[in-house]
Amino acid sequence: MSVIIYLAVVVLMFASMWVIFEKADLAGWKAIIPIYNTYCLCKITWGNGWIFLAFIVPLVNIVVAIMTMYKLAKVFGKGVGFCIGLIFLSVVFYPLLAFSDSKYMGPDKKIA
């Protein structure tokens, strides 16, 4: 039973990322490729996909992940509260971001 629930959550997260990528004018299939999806997420949020290399560095990856979630909320017109939701309850907030009427506004090209 727990395997079915786990698979349902995985499918929900993949579907949410697929829709988020499509809202940002990227092909949705890019969301299911393991490392490439992180590159594309950084491209969506930072405007520069190569920031994803910071995810390799221990401890730095935690800070960059939090900053990326903040920027993800920001590029879709959401605030800090939504960012906190993305960090701690991503299984709820990713679908909210994907299946709501929020629009992708693009990165502001500034760091932080």
Side-chain angles (χ1 to χ4, degrees), residues 45-48 51 67 70-71 74 106-112:
T45 56
W46 293 89
N48 180 0
I51 300 286
M67 291 172 67
Y70 171 73
K71 291 181 91 41
K74 188 175 171 184
D108 58 355
K109 305 288 185 198
K110 292 188 287 187
I111 308 270

Side-chain angles (χ1 to χ4, degrees), residues 13-27:
M13 292 301 288
F14 276 139
S16 299
M17 287 296 291
W18 188 296
V19 173
I20 289 170
F21 277 36
E22 286 184 343
K23 281 185 174 184
D25 293 329
L26 289 177

Side-chain angles (χ1 to χ4, degrees), residues 26-41:
L26 289 177
W29 62 266
K30 293 179 180 182
I32 61 175
I33 309 296
I35 296 170
Y36 189 53
N37 67 359
T38 305
Y39 169 78
C40 290
L41 184 64

